[in-house]
Structure formats: structure tokens, C-alpha cells
Amino acid sequence: MNTTARKGPSFVPAISVIAGAQLMVVLDISIVNIALPSIRDDLGFAQGDLQWVLNAYTLTFGGLLLLGGRASDILGRRSMFIAGICAFTLVSLLGGFAAGPGWLIAARAAQGVAGAVIAPTALALISTTFEQGKQRNAAFGVYGAVSGSGAVIGLLLGGALTDSLGWRWVLWVNVPIGIAIAIGAYYLLPRTAGNPGRFDIPGAFAVTGGLTLLVYGLVRAPEHGWSDVWTVTSFAAAAALLVLFVVLEARGSQPLMPLRIFADRDRAGAYAVAVLVGASLISTLFFLAQFVQEVMGYSPLRNGVAFLPNALCVLAFSGLAARLVTRIGAMPLMATGAASMGCGLWWLSGIDLDTEYASGLLPGLLLFGSGLGLLFVPMAMTAVAAVAERDSGLAAGLLNTSQQVGGSVGLASLSTVAADATKDELPPGRPEPGQVARAVTEGWSTALSVSVGFVAVALIITLLLIRAKPQTFQAAGGARPREEAEAGG
């Protein structure tokens, strides 16, 4: 395979293309958050259905990431990267013309399909474009900063666009960006030939269908009850499809997710942490964006600016983590990051109707962002370290899948927690607007408290499983890759 590394002055334009694509994909998970009230009023969404504007994207994204990573391994990474960018650009354009809820949700689902091709391919391209050692670590630092801060940047950009041009521009903004990235990828990224293989279509359908039904059941339960026949049916069908997926992967000759990839303890631990971090990150931004706009009364633009310190912390600490990981290894950075995120979430869970930005939100946002920056880069590097070249797209796809599956299931489950807590807080009869606001805020606060538990479990997994040493992330000449070292003793 032609995987010639890019050197010297090519680093900046090449990483700009890859990071730009990753930013566009991650940004679209959150950019609609601040536009949700405007979308609800314009298209006539029911309040309970609004989260499907997010879940339609994250479910197809997360459910098809493994297939997207496999496609890049078989068909060639640059070709699939450009195809994904073009498709993402087109459906973003069409989604901006949505005339009703169904149209918008369908467009968001199609965006997720295209994003499932882009994201794993972008991460795999880092391994095949940049030399191992300082150059590749720097590229991972940029990638981690973009991935970790993209959701917050989405809030800022979404607020600016919604305030100035209207909510439709949160989709249309992808059009000029996508065109520029596709052209840049064609001229700046190396062509890579594909590997022999075939697609595991049954496995892709099983995992995507199972996750969709699981989230549907979690969304339906608060309104219709946990014993509702359709809620129970959804959970049962989800369980059956996910078990079928595992069976297919264990028995298939060319599975979508070869179970051997979990044999490495560090990699398996990184994937587990990614699930929990995804659940925490997406849910936290979903609840806080609504709190700042609906309760604190911020405009969409001011709402986005409120999260800017969080993004700056992610950027700064991602760069620091990329430099330190070759000196102290992954575990100290990931553990410190998870602890900081947990402290930030604990602080943010104290929101109420009297919360002020400087004293009530800012400290928590700074702690959460700093921790995310420290954790994300070594987590991503550990997930793809020392993997066989033929599996680099798969490893990257599984990392992204872990985050997005965690985000979808986490948002659905915490929305259920928030809804139940809100019901318990509402007085009987016809509550006054102030009582409703207090009850809804209590629901969000309870959900954020549960999110602290997600990060606590991530910290425990990090301490128990992550053992990747500094040599794992250094240049090949300075140390053997982990798999070779273990084989040779």
C-alpha cells in the first residue's frame, strides 16, 4: 500500500484538511443545540421530539462508523474521505431547506451516514500521512483539540448563525467548508490503495438497528411508562439485535468488528473510556445549552460565547497532553483528566434558578474543559497505537463509534432521568411558570449529577486497564511498537 508520510512544510496544510473535516463532523453534533428553540418554533416540533434532531445524527453516525472505517480500509482512505465530505456537504444543503420535522430529521440522519465515513477515515489518515514520533504526536494533538473542543465551538458558531442569519445556516455553513476540504484533500493528501476484503452488511444493520431501538425505548419510556408494550418491545428487539451482532462478529470470516481488536488491554480500556466520555460530553452540553438560554435568558450568540472558556481549555490542554504523553505515558494524563471532568460536572450539577455565570457555571466549565483536553489525546492515541496497518481504519472507526454510541445512549438515558426528576418536582394541578422552570432545572441538575458517575467509572477503568508507556507513542526508531515488543519479550 502506498502510505508515504508527509514531511516538512506539508504538515500544516495536510493536518488542516484532516482537522477541518473532523471539526465539521464533531461540530454538527452540537451546532444545532442552540438553534433547537428556533427549530421547534419554526417547524412545529413537540418538545419531547427535539432530541431526535441530535439523535438522528448521532445514531446513524455511531451505528455506521465501523462500516465507514472498514470501507476506508478496503476502498482507499483518500477516496472514501473525499466521497464522505461531498455527501456531507450535499445533505447539509438539502437539510437547510427543511419544511417540517420529518425532513430535518431525515437530513440529520443522512449527515450521520456521511460523517460515519469521514470520521474514522480522518483518524486513520493521520497514521498513514505523518511519520511516527513528534510529527504524528503533533497531529494527534491537533486532532484531539479539534475533537474535544468541536462540540463547544459548535455552540458558539450555532449561536452566532442563529442570531444573525437564522437556524438554517447551522446546516448551510457546511457547504463552503465542505467544498474547500474536498478540494484540499484531493491535492494535499496521499493516495492510498485499498486492501482485499468484503463488507459485513448484516453486522452493520444489526448494530445500527439495535442501537436505534435502544435509544427509542429510552426516549419513549418517560412519557409512556417503562411497562408500555412498545417500550418493552423496543428494548427486547434492541437486545436481540445487539446479541446477533456479537454472534455475527464472532463467527464471520471478515467481521465488521473483529473481536481480536479487544485483546489489547490498553485499546479495550480506551474504547470503554470513550463510551463514558461521549455520554458525559454530549449530554452535558445538551442540558447546559438549554439552561443558559431558557433559564438564564441568554441570546443564542451570548449562549455560545458562554462556552468559549471551555473550548479554550480543551485546546490548551490537548496540546499539553500531546507533549507529555511521550514522557509520562497515557494513564496519568487520562486519570487526571477524568478527575478534573468529574469535579467540573459536580460543580455544574448545582445549577438552580439563581445560578450566575461567573460563580455558578464558569468554574465548572473550566474544570470540565481542562480535563477533557488532558484525557482525549492520550485516549485517542492509545486506541490506535500499534494496531496493524490493515486495521487502522477499523481501530479509528471503533474509537469514534464508542464516543457516538456513548453520546446517543447517554443523552437518551439522562433525558429520561431529567424527565422523571422534573415530574417528581412538579406540584399537582396546574403549576405556575416559575414552578415549571424550577422543576425543569431540577431535572437537568439531577441528570448532570448522574453524569458525574459516568466519569467516575471512566476514571476507575483508566486506573485498572491503561498501561501504555511513553515508548508506545515515540518514534519507531526509539522503541518498538507495543505488539512487537510483547511478541519479542
Side-chain angles (χ1 to χ4, degrees):
M1 178 180 292
N2 178 13
T3 57
T4 305
R6 314 283 297 192
K7 297 183 179 181
S10 298
F11 175 84
V12 172
I15 192 59
S16 296
V17 169
I18 295 172
Q22 179 67 8
L23 176 62
M24 185 171 69
V25 170
V26 175
L27 184 145
D28 263 72
I29 297 173
S30 66
I31 194 171
V32 300
N33 263 335
I34 288 180
L36 286 177
S38 298
I39 292 172
R40 178 193 60 207
D41 297 339
D42 191 23
L43 298 185
F45 270 90
Q47 181 64 36
D49 293 336
L50 265 183
Q51 64 177 295
W52 283 104
V53 179
L54 301 180
N55 280 334
Y57 181 85
T58 56
L59 274 174
T60 53
F61 189 22
L64 295 174
L65 273 164
L66 291 175
L67 188 61
R70 181 67 172 158
S72 74
D73 288 337
I74 295 175
L75 301 177
R77 297 195 180 97
R78 191 185 69 166
S79 298
M80 291 305 300
F81 183 77
I82 294 173
I85 292 292
C86 291
F88 196 94
T89 302
L90 177 60
V91 296
S92 295
L93 176 65
L94 296 176
F97 289 105
W103 183 339
L104 180 60
I105 290 174
R108 291 286 288 169
Q111 277 188 314
V113 174
V117 175
I118 298 168
T121 310
L123 184 54
L125 279 168
I126 290 179
S127 298
T128 58
T129 303
F130 304 107
E131 290 184 317
Q132 187 176 354
K134 290 184 178 180
Q135 190 182 67
R136 190 178 298 175
N137 291 345
F140 272 117
V142 175
Y143 174 88
V146 165
S147 298
S149 63
V152 179
I153 295 172
L155 295 179
L156 178 60
L157 184 58
L161 292 171
T162 302
D163 249 6
S164 59
L165 298 174
W167 69 264
R168 296 179 188 277
W169 281 92
V170 303
L171 297 173
W172 286 338
V173 71
N174 292 320
V175 176
I177 297 174
I179 292 172
I181 291 174
I183 294 172
Y186 182 81
Y187 286 104
L188 296 172
L189 299 181
R191 174 180 292 180
T192 54
N195 291 300
R198 60 181 179 81
F199 296 105
D200 179 15
I201 301 299
F205 276 111
V207 69
T208 305
L211 292 172
T212 301
L213 288 169
L214 173 61
V215 172
Y216 176 77
L218 290 169
V219 171
R220 183 181 176 85
E223 182 177 355
H224 298 278
W226 292 93
S227 59
D228 171 73
V229 61
W230 287 110
T231 301
V232 174
T233 300
S234 297
F235 286 138
L241 285 171
L242 293 175
V243 169
L244 173 63
F245 173 68
V246 174
V247 172
L248 289 172
E249 302 313 285
R251 296 182 177 181
S253 59
Q254 297 189 42
L256 186 65
M257 186 183 72
L259 300 184
R260 58 180 162 75
I261 203 164
F262 296 104
D264 182 279
R265 185 174 72 173
D266 287 311
R267 192 173 298 124
Y271 293 146
V273 170
V275 171
L276 296 161
V277 169
S280 173
L281 175 61
I282 293 178
S283 303
T284 297
L285 295 180
F286 178 77
F287 295 125
L288 287 181
Q290 292 188 82
F291 171 78
V292 171
Q293 197 163 336
E294 302 284 349
V295 176
M296 298 183 71
Y298 282 26
S299 68
L301 177 58
R302 192 182 177 194
N303 191 345
V305 172
F307 289 90
L308 184 58
N310 179 282
L312 294 176
C313 282
V314 174
L315 291 170
F317 281 87
S318 292
L320 178 63
R323 292 192 298 272
L324 290 179
V325 71
T326 58
R327 301 179 186 177
I328 63 176
M331 191 272 283
L333 292 168
M334 291 177 63
T336 303
S340 180
M341 288 179 67
C343 291
L345 280 172
W346 173 79
W347 187 283
L348 292 169
S349 68
I351 57 173
D352 57 34
L353 295 184
D354 299 320
T355 294
E356 296 183 359
Y357 177 75
S359 60
L361 289 185
L362 184 58
L365 291 173
L366 294 175
L367 284 168
F368 188 79
S370 302
L372 183 60
L374 285 176
L375 185 149
F376 195 94
V377 172
M379 179 187 75
M381 294 175 70
T382 300
V384 299
V387 70
E389 199 280 331
R390 71 180 188 278
D391 288 334
S392 59
L394 168 66
L398 192 53
L399 174 65
N400 282 287
T401 298
S402 300
Q403 293 172 249
Q404 301 313 318
V405 168
S408 294
V409 176
L411 177 58
S413 59
L414 290 181
S415 293
T416 300
V417 169
D420 288 343
T422 297
K423 286 182 180 179
D424 292 341
E425 191 71 16
L426 284 172
R430 296 176 61 88
E432 298 179 359
Q435 293 174 315
V436 173
R438 187 175 301 279
V440 171
T441 302
E442 178 63 26
W444 293 335
S445 173
T446 302
L448 291 172
S449 298
V450 175
S451 189
V452 176
F454 291 163
V455 180
V457 175
L459 174 59
I460 294 171
I461 291 173
T462 296
L463 295 174
L464 292 178
L465 296 182
I466 304 300
R467 291 291 182 270
K469 297 179 180 179
Q471 292 83 358
T472 304
F473 311 106
Q474 293 171 357
R480 292 177 294 171
R482 180 169 64 243
E483 290 175 355
E484 293 181 8
E486 290 173 353

